[in-house]
Amino acid sequence: MPRDEPEWIMERRRALGERIGDLRAAAHHSQESFAEATGISRRTLQRIESGDGDPRYSDLLRIAAALKKDMAALVETGSS
């Protein structure tokens, strides 16, 4: 992943990963069981949750579906 991303993008990526991890944990999934439920590799899920991975649109759709959430709830930033 390019490290020349603006800091605000990296901050939002980390916030997204944290939100996904919190929702996953609240749904009582381990990373392993959630990876299995979404069809996303555990390593990819780890990278998304840590903010190191830049999730594909299809990954976000799978995550939202597994959490029974609208994808907008995953990506909303709370700021304009």
Side-chain angles (χ1 to χ4, degrees), residues 39-78:
I40 298 169
S41 75
R42 184 169 176 231
R43 179 67 184 132
T44 296
L45 184 59
Q46 288 173 327
R47 291 177 49 78
I48 291 170
E49 288 188 8
S50 69
D52 291 331
D54 203 356
R56 296 181 305 181
Y57 184 75
S58 59
D59 292 340
L60 292 175
L61 289 172
R62 289 171 188 251
I63 289 167
L67 292 170
K68 296 178 175 62
K69 299 280 184 191
D70 187 80
M71 193 168 76
L74 297 181
V75 298
E76 68 186 13
T77 63

